Amino acid sequence: MAFCLQKQVEAGVCVTMEMVKDALDQLRGAVMIVYPMGLPPYDPIRMEFENKEDLSGTQAGLNVIKEAEAQLWWAAKELRRTKKLSDYVGKNEKTKIIAKIQQVSTFCFNVSVVFVISLQTDKNVQ
């Protein structure tokens, strides 16, 4: 699966919900092969497949940031939703940045998630 994703990045293909659903269906099929009797109802993988995962009261639940309450930061700058990522980091297709998703807040203590973005640009885009 990771190999296919690398080819899609190289081809400049955007991920769609249909692609995500197909990947989840492949995972469901793999789980059915490994566990033919099915997973127990409390299993986190089964709960995720059924979209019933309840993170309340767990450490993972503290890391969930709603899209409307999220800010993306890189190089001490807030990345605005109205601008393209290439406006901040340029159009070099080999650029990798480490960005932070942070909850919008006026307090100094924020829940944040750090991740790496690999920028793939279309050479025909100006």
Side-chain angles (χ1 to χ4, degrees), residues 65-78:
I65 300 174
K66 294 178 183 165
E67 183 179 351
E69 299 174 358
Q71 291 177 325
L72 188 60
W73 288 83
W74 171 73
K77 297 177 193 165
E78 180 183 357

Side-chain angles (χ1 to χ4, degrees), residues 13-101:
V13 177
C14 294
V15 176
T16 63
M17 280 304 292
E18 187 65 32
M19 294 166 72
V20 172
K21 288 178 183 177
D22 288 342
L24 280 173
D25 288 341
Q26 288 178 3
L27 289 173
R28 278 188 194 94
V31 169
M32 290 300 293
I33 291 170
V34 175
Y35 299 100
M37 300 297 289
L39 294 169
Y42 58 83
D43 191 281
I45 294 172
R46 178 176 176 174
M47 291 167 48
E48 184 65 37
F49 284 159
E50 295 172 352
N51 205 18
K52 295 180 182 176
E53 188 173 23
D54 182 19
L55 298 176
S56 61
T58 66
Q59 185 65 30
L62 298 175
N63 294 333
V64 175
I65 300 174
K66 294 178 183 165
E67 183 179 351
E69 299 174 358
Q71 291 177 325
L72 188 60
W73 288 83
W74 171 73
K77 297 177 193 165
E78 180 183 357
L79 305 181
R80 301 284 178 177
R81 294 173 193 258
T82 56
K83 292 181 125 184
K84 294 181 180 180
L85 189 57
S86 61
D87 294 339
Y88 294 100
V89 297
K91 296 186 179 191
N92 183 351
E93 62 188 46
K94 300 211 181 241
T95 301
K96 289 188 178 185
I97 67 170
I98 297 177
K100 181 170 78 167
I101 295 178

Side-chain angles (χ1 to χ4, degrees), residues 100-120:
K100 181 170 78 167
I101 295 178
Q102 176 175 296
Q103 192 168 8
V104 177
S105 178
T106 57
F107 300 105
C108 294
F109 303 103
N110 295 313
V111 175
S112 61
V113 178
V114 176
F115 61 97
V116 176
I117 297 175
S118 178
L119 179 63
Q120 182 71 27

